[in-house]
């Protein structure tokens, strides 16, 4: 297993819609294990494959406090949504920024597990939020896209200042 580097906004690879997973082989199993290790190390409650530069419709999540409820979400779709509410959100690809955006409180997810087996899941609260956040990543979208252009510009400047300060 390996901790992978996480891409930061405004990397263009975060902006591409990812193609579906078709091969459930050894390479995919290794990638999933590496994504979990990277997510737990960060630490984060979710991680999309394209945040690590791998353009595939795949994300991992664990919203439990005990870090023992791993969820693999491959080729996901949302079947049903409830009302939206305003929640606070952050992203490992937009470090140190957080803001409030609208998300559905409950969603019904259909996805494939790591072996390509379909499952459905009713989620609410943080897990429902995380599912929407990761699905957005797979469509090339970031939570800052829901903010005003003024706020988005402020965040972009903050990140580019920090990048030049750290020599990268
Ligand atoms: O670690 C994360 N926390 C978080 C908090 C609120 C809503 C979504 C998230 S996902 C984020 C990790 C991440 O960037 N996943 O793509
Ligand atoms: Ni994110």
């Amino acid at each position: 297993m390996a901790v992978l580097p996480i891409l930061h906004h405004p990397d263009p690879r975060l902006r591409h819609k990812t193609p579906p997973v078709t091969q459930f082989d050894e390479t995919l199993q290794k990638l999933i294990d590496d994504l979990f290790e990277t997510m737990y190390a960060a630490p984060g409650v979710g991680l999309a494959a394209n945040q690590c530069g791998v353009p595939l419709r795949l994300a991992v999540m664990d919203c439990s406090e005990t870090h023992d409820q791993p969820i693999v979400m491959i080729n996901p779709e949302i079947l049903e949504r409830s009302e939206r509410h305003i929640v606070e959100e952050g992203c490992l690809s937009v470090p140190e920024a957080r803001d409030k955006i609208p998300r559905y409180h409950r969603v019904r997810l259909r996805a494939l597990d790591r072996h390509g087996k379909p499952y459905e899941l009713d989620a609410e609260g943080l897990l429902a939020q995380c599912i929407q956040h990761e699905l957005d990543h797979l469509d090339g979208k970031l939570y800052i896209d829901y903010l005003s252009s003024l706020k988005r510009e402020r965040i972009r400047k903050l990140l580019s200042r920090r990048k030049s300060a750290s020599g990268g």
Side-chain angles (χ1 to χ4, degrees):
M1 298 231 286
V3 173
L4 309 172
I6 297 176
L7 304 179
H8 288 174
H9 173 67
D11 191 300
R13 286 170 288 178
L14 293 168
R15 293 313 200 164
H16 300 144
K17 189 177 156 85
T18 56
V21 173
T22 56
Q23 303 248 62
F24 294 82
D25 54 10
E26 269 307 304
T27 309
L28 184 76
Q29 305 310 313
K30 166 90 167 65
L31 172 63
I32 292 168
D33 291 341
D34 289 348
L35 289 173
F36 273 120
E37 191 171 9
T38 306
M39 179 192 79
Y40 287 125
V45 296
L47 186 67
N50 58 334
Q51 288 181 275
C52 294
V54 180
L56 282 178
R57 245 174 141 63
L58 156 68
V60 299
M61 299 176 290
D62 188 340
C63 290
S64 71
E65 278 173 22
T66 41
H67 295 181
D68 59 357
Q69 285 165 48
I71 296 173
V72 177
M73 172 168 101
I74 295 175
N75 304 346
E77 34 177 334
I78 288 179
L79 302 179
E80 288 168 41
R81 339 168 133 68
S82 71
E83 77 293 352
R84 279 189 294 194
H85 61 168
I86 302 294
V87 284
E88 195 171 277
E89 196 153 315
C91 179
L92 294 170
S93 295
V94 190
E96 285 167 59
R98 288 187 78 79
D99 219 314
K100 290 180 175 166
I101 61 160
R103 290 293 191 192
Y104 301 104
H105 180 54
R106 271 188 300 276
V107 295
R108 183 164 183 82
L109 169 74
R110 177 165 38 216
L112 305 178
D113 72 9
R114 65 191 296 155
H115 305 295
K117 191 171 165 241
Y119 67 89
E120 290 186 13
L121 175 68
D122 284 309
E124 65 171 43
L126 180 60
L127 180 56
Q129 189 185 350
C130 194
I131 288 169
Q132 294 164 75
H133 178 104
E134 302 313 334
L135 229 152
D136 276 351
H137 273 302
L138 302 181
D139 288 330
K141 207 165 166 180
L142 299 173
Y143 83 89
I144 53 172
D145 299 348
Y146 298 94
L147 305 176
S148 68
S149 53
L150 179 69
K151 280 190 172 181
R152 210 163 36 243
E153 187 59 12
R154 237 183 245 155
I155 289 172
R156 197 188 56 73
K157 283 185 179 152
L158 180 84
L159 292 193
S160 67
R161 263 204 307 279
R162 186 140 19 71
K163 198 175 172 195
S164 50
S166 70

